[in-house]
């Protein structure tokens, strides 16, 4: 039978999966982990190693390529994209702007700080969401275990910042702004349901479409369009740059597909574990790759503390979600048994 998932048509066997399905699942998990780790280093290489410092211009190119490739795949019958209505577009526009503003500030931060420091800053997003929920009373207070994990993450970030020998105020401000925008995006999506009923591919392509006009105006107003085109022209003969730049343009779509494939062929636990491990591996590799980190004991201890807090947060939130799911199933079974006994 065929199942529509994330805009793609996937054939799902009705009988028991063949033995090779374990190998397929393992490949999908490794593929997702590799792509997720590589994505940060690819963007970092384009901006820091090859000197394409126009991060908004890079984002504009990524969004344009995303739209072009996905509409080409739709024309070829490889993916399905439902047409978007004017009402949906109006509802999705603020979400698209928040999402791409988050990515823009994240890229700008990544260009200024090391990969481990960037990962450390981005792990602060749950802390921002927690503060917003507390201030605006949007959701019940989380468990003590979740709060403890977030405190460890924040403490690690403060220690790392204090011991950062390459401290760049602009990079830290950009990273913290990205966290605030990501938290805003998550809260708006949760409160408005703007993305409800849409596949991940539809969300990706329509986010890109709606963000292109304002992003183009920003790139034009800041002068990044002209300087970015000049840099591309100057480095067009560099095979290394062209290869990495093409990978950077396709990285977002590739990551989305890798996540989809991992989710489809593995359990939620496997996908969560891979997500945690990719953060740890990315942080570890960042100490040595692309210039690495000028280490100090305080900075390294802060990053390690932050990473431990992030891993613990993922484990605790996953366990709580599974507990809630089991409780729902149990209550549903009790309701069914009660109705049959009447």
């Amino acid at each position: 039978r065929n199942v529509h998932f994330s805009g793609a048509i996937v054939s799902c066997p009705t009988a028991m999966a063949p033995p090779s399905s374990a190998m397929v699942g393992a490949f999908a998990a490794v593929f997702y982990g590799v792509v997720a780790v590589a994505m940060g280093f690819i963007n970092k290489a384009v901006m820091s190693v090859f000197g394409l410092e126009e991060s908004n211009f890079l984002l504009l190119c990524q969004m344009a390529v995303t739209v072009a490739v996905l509409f080409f795949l739709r024309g070829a019958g490889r993916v399905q994209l439902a047409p978007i209505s004017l009402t949906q577009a109006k509802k999705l526009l603020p979400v698209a702007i928040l999402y791409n503003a988050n990515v823009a500030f994240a890229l700008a931060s990544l260009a200024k700080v090391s990969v481990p420091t960037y990962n450390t800053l981005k792990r602060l997003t749950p802390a921002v969401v927690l503060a917003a929920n507390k201030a605006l009373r949007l959701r019940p207070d989380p468990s003590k275990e979740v709060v403890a994990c977030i405190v460890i993450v924040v403490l690690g970030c403060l220690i790392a910042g204090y011991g950062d020998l390459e401290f760049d105020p602009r990079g830290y401000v950009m990273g913290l702004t990205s966290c605030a925008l990501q938290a805003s995006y998550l809260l708006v999506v949760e409160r408005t349901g703007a993305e409800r009923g849409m596949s991940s591919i539809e969300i990706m392509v329509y986010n890109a479409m709606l963000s292109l006009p304002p992003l183009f105006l920003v790139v034009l107003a800041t002068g990044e369009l002209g300087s970015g085109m000049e840099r591309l022209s100057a480095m067009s003969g560099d095979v290394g740059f062209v290869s990495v730049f093409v990978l950077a343009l396709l990285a977002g779509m590739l990551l989305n597909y890798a996540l989809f494939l991992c989710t489809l062929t593995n359990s939620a636990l496997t996908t969560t574990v891979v997500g945690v491990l990719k953060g740890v591996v990315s942080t570890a590799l960042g100490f040595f790759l692309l210039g690495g980190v000028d280490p100090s004991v305080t900075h390294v201890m802060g990053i390690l503390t932050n990473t431990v807090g992030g891993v613990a947060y993922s484990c605790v939130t996953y366990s709580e979600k599974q507990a809630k799911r089991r409780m729902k199933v149990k209550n549903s079974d009790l309701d069914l048994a009660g109705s049959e006994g009447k």
Side-chain angles (χ1 to χ4, degrees), residues 91-126:
K91 200 173 183 180
L92 198 59
L93 180 59
V95 173
I97 292 175
L98 281 173
Y99 175 81
N100 285 280
N102 158 43
V103 177
F105 277 95
L107 286 174
S109 175
L110 185 58
K112 299 289 183 183
V113 302
S114 66
V115 172
T117 301
Y118 168 78
N119 289 339
T120 298
L121 291 170
K122 288 298 290 179
R123 290 193 191 100
L124 291 174
T125 299

PDB file of all heavy atoms in Angstrom, residues 91-126:
ATOM      1  N   LYS A  91      -1.610  33.356   6.801  1.00  0.00           N
ATOM      2  CA  LYS A  91      -1.375  32.725   8.105  1.00  0.00           C
ATOM      3  C   LYS A  91       0.075  32.275   8.252  1.00  0.00           C
ATOM      4  O   LYS A  91       0.660  32.314   9.339  1.00  0.00           O
ATOM      5  CB  LYS A  91      -2.320  31.528   8.253  1.00  0.00           C
ATOM      6  CG  LYS A  91      -2.533  31.071   9.693  1.00  0.00           C
ATOM      7  CD  LYS A  91      -3.612  30.011   9.741  1.00  0.00           C
ATOM      8  CE  LYS A  91      -3.897  29.595  11.186  1.00  0.00           C
ATOM      9  NZ  LYS A  91      -4.945  28.551  11.257  1.00  0.00           N
ATOM     10  N   LEU A  92       0.678  31.841   7.136  1.00  0.00           N
ATOM     11  CA  LEU A  92       2.028  31.286   7.172  1.00  0.00           C
ATOM     12  C   LEU A  92       3.104  32.356   7.061  1.00  0.00           C
ATOM     13  O   LEU A  92       4.248  32.117   7.472  1.00  0.00           O
ATOM     14  CB  LEU A  92       2.184  30.286   6.015  1.00  0.00           C
ATOM     15  CG  LEU A  92       3.336  29.283   6.086  1.00  0.00           C
ATOM     16  CD1 LEU A  92       3.214  28.419   7.340  1.00  0.00           C
ATOM     17  CD2 LEU A  92       3.344  28.413   4.845  1.00  0.00           C
ATOM     18  N   LEU A  93       2.760  33.543   6.541  1.00  0.00           N
ATOM     19  CA  LEU A  93       3.768  34.582   6.306  1.00  0.00           C
ATOM     20  C   LEU A  93       4.548  34.973   7.562  1.00  0.00           C
ATOM     21  O   LEU A  93       5.790  35.006   7.531  1.00  0.00           O
ATOM     22  CB  LEU A  93       3.118  35.812   5.674  1.00  0.00           C
ATOM     23  CG  LEU A  93       4.062  36.977   5.363  1.00  0.00           C
ATOM     24  CD1 LEU A  93       5.164  36.530   4.402  1.00  0.00           C
ATOM     25  CD2 LEU A  93       3.286  38.157   4.784  1.00  0.00           C
ATOM     26  N   PRO A  94       3.881  35.287   8.710  1.00  0.00           N
ATOM     27  CA  PRO A  94       4.656  35.638   9.913  1.00  0.00           C
ATOM     28  C   PRO A  94       5.563  34.504  10.378  1.00  0.00           C
ATOM     29  O   PRO A  94       6.683  34.736  10.828  1.00  0.00           O
ATOM     30  CB  PRO A  94       3.578  35.939  10.966  1.00  0.00           C
ATOM     31  CG  PRO A  94       2.307  36.096  10.243  1.00  0.00           C
ATOM     32  CD  PRO A  94       2.436  35.331   8.974  1.00  0.00           C
ATOM     33  N   VAL A  95       5.075  33.269  10.236  1.00  0.00           N
ATOM     34  CA  VAL A  95       5.867  32.104  10.631  1.00  0.00           C
ATOM     35  C   VAL A  95       7.093  31.975   9.733  1.00  0.00           C
ATOM     36  O   VAL A  95       8.208  31.708  10.205  1.00  0.00           O
ATOM     37  CB  VAL A  95       5.003  30.822  10.551  1.00  0.00           C
ATOM     38  CG1 VAL A  95       5.845  29.584  10.798  1.00  0.00           C
ATOM     39  CG2 VAL A  95       3.862  30.894  11.546  1.00  0.00           C
ATOM     40  N   ALA A  96       6.899  32.184   8.419  1.00  0.00           N
ATOM     41  CA  ALA A  96       8.006  32.092   7.471  1.00  0.00           C
ATOM     42  C   ALA A  96       9.061  33.154   7.749  1.00  0.00           C
ATOM     43  O   ALA A  96      10.266  32.881   7.693  1.00  0.00           O
ATOM     44  CB  ALA A  96       7.477  32.233   6.040  1.00  0.00           C
ATOM     45  N   ILE A  97       8.619  34.360   8.069  1.00  0.00           N
ATOM     46  CA  ILE A  97       9.555  35.450   8.359  1.00  0.00           C
ATOM     47  C   ILE A  97      10.349  35.139   9.627  1.00  0.00           C
ATOM     48  O   ILE A  97      11.568  35.335   9.684  1.00  0.00           O
ATOM     49  CB  ILE A  97       8.806  36.783   8.485  1.00  0.00           C
ATOM     50  CG1 ILE A  97       8.253  37.198   7.107  1.00  0.00           C
ATOM     51  CG2 ILE A  97       9.717  37.876   9.038  1.00  0.00           C
ATOM     52  CD1 ILE A  97       7.395  38.436   7.141  1.00  0.00           C
ATOM     53  N   LEU A  98       9.657  34.656  10.664  1.00  0.00           N
ATOM     54  CA  LEU A  98      10.349  34.306  11.914  1.00  0.00           C
ATOM     55  C   LEU A  98      11.353  33.177  11.680  1.00  0.00           C
ATOM     56  O   LEU A  98      12.488  33.230  12.180  1.00  0.00           O
ATOM     57  CB  LEU A  98       9.335  33.879  12.978  1.00  0.00           C
ATOM     58  CG  LEU A  98       8.575  34.990  13.702  1.00  0.00           C
ATOM     59  CD1 LEU A  98       7.491  34.389  14.595  1.00  0.00           C
ATOM     60  CD2 LEU A  98       9.530  35.848  14.536  1.00  0.00           C
ATOM     61  N   TYR A  99      10.940  32.168  10.937  1.00  0.00           N
ATOM     62  CA  TYR A  99      11.814  31.023  10.685  1.00  0.00           C
ATOM     63  C   TYR A  99      13.089  31.451   9.956  1.00  0.00           C
ATOM     64  O   TYR A  99      14.214  31.086  10.353  1.00  0.00           O
ATOM     65  CB  TYR A  99      11.073  29.963   9.865  1.00  0.00           C
ATOM     66  CG  TYR A  99      11.935  28.798   9.448  1.00  0.00           C
ATOM     67  CD1 TYR A  99      12.202  27.763  10.330  1.00  0.00           C
ATOM     68  CD2 TYR A  99      12.492  28.745   8.176  1.00  0.00           C
ATOM     69  CE1 TYR A  99      13.006  26.690   9.959  1.00  0.00           C
ATOM     70  CE2 TYR A  99      13.306  27.686   7.794  1.00  0.00           C
ATOM     71  CZ  TYR A  99      13.548  26.666   8.687  1.00  0.00           C
ATOM     72  OH  TYR A  99      14.352  25.613   8.320  1.00  0.00           O
ATOM     73  N   ASN A 100      12.931  32.238   8.903  1.00  0.00           N
ATOM     74  CA  ASN A 100      14.089  32.632   8.116  1.00  0.00           C
ATOM     75  C   ASN A 100      14.927  33.704   8.804  1.00  0.00           C
ATOM     76  O   ASN A 100      16.142  33.762   8.593  1.00  0.00           O
ATOM     77  CB  ASN A 100      13.637  33.099   6.731  1.00  0.00           C
ATOM     78  CG  ASN A 100      13.244  31.944   5.843  1.00  0.00           C
ATOM     79  OD1 ASN A 100      14.081  31.277   5.261  1.00  0.00           O
ATOM     80  ND2 ASN A 100      11.937  31.675   5.748  1.00  0.00           N
ATOM     81  N   ALA A 101      14.302  34.521   9.639  1.00  0.00           N
ATOM     82  CA  ALA A 101      15.079  35.463  10.445  1.00  0.00           C
ATOM     83  C   ALA A 101      15.956  34.692  11.424  1.00  0.00           C
ATOM     84  O   ALA A 101      17.122  35.043  11.655  1.00  0.00           O
ATOM     85  CB  ALA A 101      14.146  36.410  11.192  1.00  0.00           C
ATOM     86  N   ASN A 102      15.395  33.625  11.999  1.00  0.00           N
ATOM     87  CA  ASN A 102      16.169  32.765  12.888  1.00  0.00           C
ATOM     88  C   ASN A 102      17.379  32.176  12.158  1.00  0.00           C
ATOM     89  O   ASN A 102      18.513  32.217  12.665  1.00  0.00           O
ATOM     90  CB  ASN A 102      15.262  31.643  13.421  1.00  0.00           C
ATOM     91  CG  ASN A 102      16.029  30.428  13.903  1.00  0.00           C
ATOM     92  OD1 ASN A 102      17.044  30.526  14.574  1.00  0.00           O
ATOM     93  ND2 ASN A 102      15.547  29.253  13.525  1.00  0.00           N
ATOM     94  N   VAL A 103      17.158  31.648  10.944  1.00  0.00           N
ATOM     95  CA  VAL A 103      18.247  31.045  10.169  1.00  0.00           C
ATOM     96  C   VAL A 103      19.275  32.107   9.789  1.00  0.00           C
ATOM     97  O   VAL A 103      20.490  31.853   9.830  1.00  0.00           O
ATOM     98  CB  VAL A 103      17.697  30.352   8.909  1.00  0.00           C
ATOM     99  CG1 VAL A 103      18.840  29.800   8.063  1.00  0.00           C
ATOM    100  CG2 VAL A 103      16.744  29.224   9.288  1.00  0.00           C
ATOM    101  N   ALA A 104      18.801  33.305   9.425  1.00  0.00           N
ATOM    102  CA  ALA A 104      19.715  34.381   9.024  1.00  0.00           C
ATOM    103  C   ALA A 104      20.646  34.770  10.169  1.00  0.00           C
ATOM    104  O   ALA A 104      21.863  34.907   9.988  1.00  0.00           O
ATOM    105  CB  ALA A 104      18.913  35.601   8.562  1.00  0.00           C
ATOM    106  N   PHE A 105      20.096  34.944  11.364  1.00  0.00           N
ATOM    107  CA  PHE A 105      20.925  35.296  12.517  1.00  0.00           C
ATOM    108  C   PHE A 105      21.824  34.125  12.933  1.00  0.00           C
ATOM    109  O   PHE A 105      22.949  34.338  13.401  1.00  0.00           O
ATOM    110  CB  PHE A 105      20.045  35.740  13.686  1.00  0.00           C
ATOM    111  CG  PHE A 105      19.636  37.181  13.611  1.00  0.00           C
ATOM    112  CD1 PHE A 105      18.419  37.545  13.060  1.00  0.00           C
ATOM    113  CD2 PHE A 105      20.469  38.187  14.087  1.00  0.00           C
ATOM    114  CE1 PHE A 105      18.039  38.873  12.975  1.00  0.00           C
ATOM    115  CE2 PHE A 105      20.098  39.520  14.015  1.00  0.00           C
ATOM    116  CZ  PHE A 105      18.878  39.867  13.456  1.00  0.00           C
ATOM    117  N   ALA A 106      21.338  32.898  12.746  1.00  0.00           N
ATOM    118  CA  ALA A 106      22.154  31.725  13.068  1.00  0.00           C
ATOM    119  C   ALA A 106      23.373  31.655  12.151  1.00  0.00           C
ATOM    120  O   ALA A 106      24.494  31.391  12.610  1.00  0.00           O
ATOM    121  CB  ALA A 106      21.315  30.455  12.936  1.00  0.00           C
ATOM    122  N   LEU A 107      23.178  31.897  10.853  1.00  0.00           N
ATOM    123  CA  LEU A 107      24.298  31.908   9.914  1.00  0.00           C
ATOM    124  C   LEU A 107      25.283  33.021  10.242  1.00  0.00           C
ATOM    125  O   LEU A 107      26.499  32.823  10.184  1.00  0.00           O
ATOM    126  CB  LEU A 107      23.780  32.066   8.479  1.00  0.00           C
ATOM    127  CG  LEU A 107      23.108  30.844   7.848  1.00  0.00           C
ATOM    128  CD1 LEU A 107      22.522  31.207   6.496  1.00  0.00           C
ATOM    129  CD2 LEU A 107      24.104  29.698   7.690  1.00  0.00           C
ATOM    130  N   ALA A 108      24.744  34.200  10.582  1.00  0.00           N
ATOM    131  CA  ALA A 108      25.607  35.328  10.933  1.00  0.00           C
ATOM    132  C   ALA A 108      26.433  35.010  12.177  1.00  0.00           C
ATOM    133  O   ALA A 108      27.609  35.385  12.271  1.00  0.00           O
ATOM    134  CB  ALA A 108      24.768  36.580  11.153  1.00  0.00           C
ATOM    135  N   SER A 109      25.830  34.318  13.136  1.00  0.00           N
ATOM    136  CA  SER A 109      26.549  33.919  14.342  1.00  0.00           C
ATOM    137  C   SER A 109      27.615  32.877  14.023  1.00  0.00           C
ATOM    138  O   SER A 109      28.754  32.956  14.503  1.00  0.00           O
ATOM    139  CB  SER A 109      25.574  33.362  15.381  1.00  0.00           C
ATOM    140  OG  SER A 109      26.256  32.870  16.517  1.00  0.00           O
ATOM    141  N   LEU A 110      27.262  31.905  13.189  1.00  0.00           N
ATOM    142  CA  LEU A 110      28.189  30.837  12.820  1.00  0.00           C
ATOM    143  C   LEU A 110      29.420  31.386  12.106  1.00  0.00           C
ATOM    144  O   LEU A 110      30.519  30.832  12.227  1.00  0.00           O
ATOM    145  CB  LEU A 110      27.476  29.812  11.934  1.00  0.00           C
ATOM    146  CG  LEU A 110      28.247  28.550  11.541  1.00  0.00           C
ATOM    147  CD1 LEU A 110      28.701  27.769  12.769  1.00  0.00           C
ATOM    148  CD2 LEU A 110      27.394  27.669  10.635  1.00  0.00           C
ATOM    149  N   ALA A 111      29.238  32.483  11.365  1.00  0.00           N
ATOM    150  CA  ALA A 111      30.368  33.100  10.668  1.00  0.00           C
ATOM    151  C   ALA A 111      31.346  33.761  11.633  1.00  0.00           C
ATOM    152  O   ALA A 111      32.521  33.949  11.308  1.00  0.00           O
ATOM    153  CB  ALA A 111      29.855  34.139   9.664  1.00  0.00           C
ATOM    154  N   LYS A 112      30.888  34.088  12.851  1.00  0.00           N
ATOM    155  CA  LYS A 112      31.715  34.846  13.805  1.00  0.00           C
ATOM    156  C   LYS A 112      32.321  33.981  14.903  1.00  0.00           C
ATOM    157  O   LYS A 112      33.356  34.331  15.463  1.00  0.00           O
ATOM    158  CB  LYS A 112      30.864  35.943  14.459  1.00  0.00           C
ATOM    159  CG  LYS A 112      30.296  36.981  13.487  1.00  0.00           C
ATOM    160  CD  LYS A 112      31.379  37.873  12.946  1.00  0.00           C
ATOM    161  CE  LYS A 112      30.807  38.959  12.041  1.00  0.00           C
ATOM    162  NZ  LYS A 112      31.886  39.797  11.455  1.00  0.00           N
ATOM    163  N   VAL A 113      31.665  32.876  15.253  1.00  0.00           N
ATOM    164  CA  VAL A 113      32.125  32.064  16.383  1.00  0.00           C
ATOM    165  C   VAL A 113      32.440  30.655  15.906  1.00  0.00           C
ATOM    166  O   VAL A 113      32.070  30.253  14.800  1.00  0.00           O
ATOM    167  CB  VAL A 113      31.074  32.014  17.517  1.00  0.00           C
ATOM    168  CG1 VAL A 113      30.752  33.422  18.014  1.00  0.00           C
ATOM    169  CG2 VAL A 113      29.796  31.312  17.050  1.00  0.00           C
ATOM    170  N   SER A 114      33.104  29.881  16.749  1.00  0.00           N
ATOM    171  CA  SER A 114      33.436  28.495  16.415  1.00  0.00           C
ATOM    172  C   SER A 114      32.183  27.617  16.455  1.00  0.00           C
ATOM    173  O   SER A 114      31.157  27.998  17.039  1.00  0.00           O
ATOM    174  CB  SER A 114      34.471  27.946  17.398  1.00  0.00           C
ATOM    175  OG  SER A 114      33.910  27.855  18.697  1.00  0.00           O
ATOM    176  N   VAL A 115      32.263  26.455  15.827  1.00  0.00           N
ATOM    177  CA  VAL A 115      31.124  25.526  15.802  1.00  0.00           C
ATOM    178  C   VAL A 115      30.707  25.096  17.210  1.00  0.00           C
ATOM    179  O   VAL A 115      29.515  25.088  17.532  1.00  0.00           O
ATOM    180  CB  VAL A 115      31.433  24.306  14.912  1.00  0.00           C
ATOM    181  CG1 VAL A 115      30.342  23.244  15.035  1.00  0.00           C
ATOM    182  CG2 VAL A 115      31.584  24.733  13.455  1.00  0.00           C
ATOM    183  N   PRO A 116      31.658  24.724  18.113  1.00  0.00           N
ATOM    184  CA  PRO A 116      31.243  24.365  19.484  1.00  0.00           C
ATOM    185  C   PRO A 116      30.537  25.502  20.209  1.00  0.00           C
ATOM    186  O   PRO A 116      29.548  25.267  20.918  1.00  0.00           O
ATOM    187  CB  PRO A 116      32.567  24.005  20.170  1.00  0.00           C
ATOM    188  CG  PRO A 116      33.466  23.581  19.069  1.00  0.00           C
ATOM    189  CD  PRO A 116      33.103  24.466  17.917  1.00  0.00           C
ATOM    190  N   THR A 117      31.045  26.733  20.051  1.00  0.00           N
ATOM    191  CA  THR A 117      30.402  27.886  20.693  1.00  0.00           C
ATOM    192  C   THR A 117      29.018  28.120  20.110  1.00  0.00           C
ATOM    193  O   THR A 117      28.061  28.413  20.840  1.00  0.00           O
ATOM    194  CB  THR A 117      31.269  29.143  20.533  1.00  0.00           C
ATOM    195  OG1 THR A 117      32.551  28.908  21.122  1.00  0.00           O
ATOM    196  CG2 THR A 117      30.619  30.348  21.202  1.00  0.00           C
ATOM    197  N   TYR A 118      28.896  27.981  18.793  1.00  0.00           N
ATOM    198  CA  TYR A 118      27.595  28.138  18.128  1.00  0.00           C
ATOM    199  C   TYR A 118      26.594  27.118  18.654  1.00  0.00           C
ATOM    200  O   TYR A 118      25.447  27.453  18.986  1.00  0.00           O
ATOM    201  CB  TYR A 118      27.776  27.990  16.617  1.00  0.00           C
ATOM    202  CG  TYR A 118      26.487  27.852  15.852  1.00  0.00           C
ATOM    203  CD1 TYR A 118      25.697  28.967  15.577  1.00  0.00           C
ATOM    204  CD2 TYR A 118      26.039  26.604  15.406  1.00  0.00           C
ATOM    205  CE1 TYR A 118      24.505  28.843  14.875  1.00  0.00           C
ATOM    206  CE2 TYR A 118      24.854  26.472  14.708  1.00  0.00           C
ATOM    207  CZ  TYR A 118      24.092  27.596  14.449  1.00  0.00           C
ATOM    208  OH  TYR A 118      22.913  27.460  13.762  1.00  0.00           O
ATOM    209  N   ASN A 119      27.011  25.852  18.754  1.00  0.00           N
ATOM    210  CA  ASN A 119      26.124  24.809  19.287  1.00  0.00           C
ATOM    211  C   ASN A 119      25.713  25.124  20.722  1.00  0.00           C
ATOM    212  O   ASN A 119      24.564  24.891  21.126  1.00  0.00           O
ATOM    213  CB  ASN A 119      26.817  23.448  19.241  1.00  0.00           C
ATOM    214  CG  ASN A 119      26.962  22.907  17.833  1.00  0.00           C
ATOM    215  OD1 ASN A 119      26.251  23.320  16.930  1.00  0.00           O
ATOM    216  ND2 ASN A 119      27.896  21.989  17.639  1.00  0.00           N
ATOM    217  N   THR A 120      26.657  25.641  21.495  1.00  0.00           N
ATOM    218  CA  THR A 120      26.384  26.002  22.890  1.00  0.00           C
ATOM    219  C   THR A 120      25.311  27.080  22.977  1.00  0.00           C
ATOM    220  O   THR A 120      24.381  27.000  23.795  1.00  0.00           O
ATOM    221  CB  THR A 120      27.675  26.493  23.574  1.00  0.00           C
ATOM    222  OG1 THR A 120      28.632  25.423  23.563  1.00  0.00           O
ATOM    223  CG2 THR A 120      27.421  26.918  25.006  1.00  0.00           C
ATOM    224  N   LEU A 121      25.426  28.092  22.123  1.00  0.00           N
ATOM    225  CA  LEU A 121      24.443  29.180  22.120  1.00  0.00           C
ATOM    226  C   LEU A 121      23.069  28.688  21.680  1.00  0.00           C
ATOM    227  O   LEU A 121      22.043  29.051  22.276  1.00  0.00           O
ATOM    228  CB  LEU A 121      24.913  30.307  21.198  1.00  0.00           C
ATOM    229  CG  LEU A 121      26.136  31.109  21.662  1.00  0.00           C
ATOM    230  CD1 LEU A 121      26.633  32.022  20.537  1.00  0.00           C
ATOM    231  CD2 LEU A 121      25.792  31.940  22.893  1.00  0.00           C
ATOM    232  N   LYS A 122      23.025  27.836  20.651  1.00  0.00           N
ATOM    233  CA  LYS A 122      21.745  27.381  20.120  1.00  0.00           C
ATOM    234  C   LYS A 122      20.987  26.484  21.094  1.00  0.00           C
ATOM    235  O   LYS A 122      19.763  26.372  21.007  1.00  0.00           O
ATOM    236  CB  LYS A 122      21.966  26.635  18.788  1.00  0.00           C
ATOM    237  CG  LYS A 122      22.353  27.543  17.639  1.00  0.00           C
ATOM    238  CD  LYS A 122      21.271  28.559  17.307  1.00  0.00           C
ATOM    239  CE  LYS A 122      20.059  27.899  16.691  1.00  0.00           C
ATOM    240  NZ  LYS A 122      18.972  28.874  16.379  1.00  0.00           N
ATOM    241  N   ARG A 123      21.710  25.859  22.029  1.00  0.00           N
ATOM    242  CA  ARG A 123      21.028  25.023  23.017  1.00  0.00           C
ATOM    243  C   ARG A 123      20.259  25.857  24.040  1.00  0.00           C
ATOM    244  O   ARG A 123      19.564  25.294  24.898  1.00  0.00           O
ATOM    245  CB  ARG A 123      22.045  24.134  23.742  1.00  0.00           C
ATOM    246  CG  ARG A 123      22.627  23.028  22.870  1.00  0.00           C
ATOM    247  CD  ARG A 123      23.379  21.999  23.691  1.00  0.00           C
ATOM    248  NE  ARG A 123      24.142  21.110  22.820  1.00  0.00           N
ATOM    249  CZ  ARG A 123      25.439  21.219  22.580  1.00  0.00           C
ATOM    250  NH1 ARG A 123      26.139  22.169  23.183  1.00  0.00           N
ATOM    251  NH2 ARG A 123      26.049  20.375  21.777  1.00  0.00           N
ATOM    252  N   LEU A 124      20.361  27.170  23.959  1.00  0.00           N
ATOM    253  CA  LEU A 124      19.636  28.038  24.886  1.00  0.00           C
ATOM    254  C   LEU A 124      18.172  28.244  24.472  1.00  0.00           C
ATOM    255  O   LEU A 124      17.397  28.831  25.234  1.00  0.00           O
ATOM    256  CB  LEU A 124      20.321  29.413  24.984  1.00  0.00           C
ATOM    257  CG  LEU A 124      21.688  29.445  25.662  1.00  0.00           C
ATOM    258  CD1 LEU A 124      22.297  30.833  25.557  1.00  0.00           C
ATOM    259  CD2 LEU A 124      21.576  29.026  27.125  1.00  0.00           C
ATOM    260  N   THR A 125      17.801  27.773  23.299  1.00  0.00           N
ATOM    261  CA  THR A 125      16.426  27.984  22.821  1.00  0.00           C
ATOM    262  C   THR A 125      15.365  27.484  23.807  1.00  0.00           C
ATOM    263  O   THR A 125      14.397  28.199  24.084  1.00  0.00           O
ATOM    264  CB  THR A 125      16.234  27.312  21.442  1.00  0.00           C
ATOM    265  OG1 THR A 125      17.137  27.898  20.504  1.00  0.00           O
ATOM    266  CG2 THR A 125      14.808  27.515  20.932  1.00  0.00           C
ATOM    267  N   PRO A 126      15.488  26.257  24.382  1.00  0.00           N
ATOM    268  CA  PRO A 126      14.479  25.831  25.371  1.00  0.00           C
ATOM    269  C   PRO A 126      14.380  26.768  26.565  1.00  0.00           C
ATOM    270  O   PRO A 126      13.294  26.936  27.129  1.00  0.00           O
ATOM    271  CB  PRO A 126      14.980  24.441  25.800  1.00  0.00           C
ATOM    272  CG  PRO A 126      15.784  23.955  24.654  1.00  0.00           C
ATOM    273  CD  PRO A 126      16.459  25.172  24.100  1.00  0.00           C
TER     274      PRO A 126
END
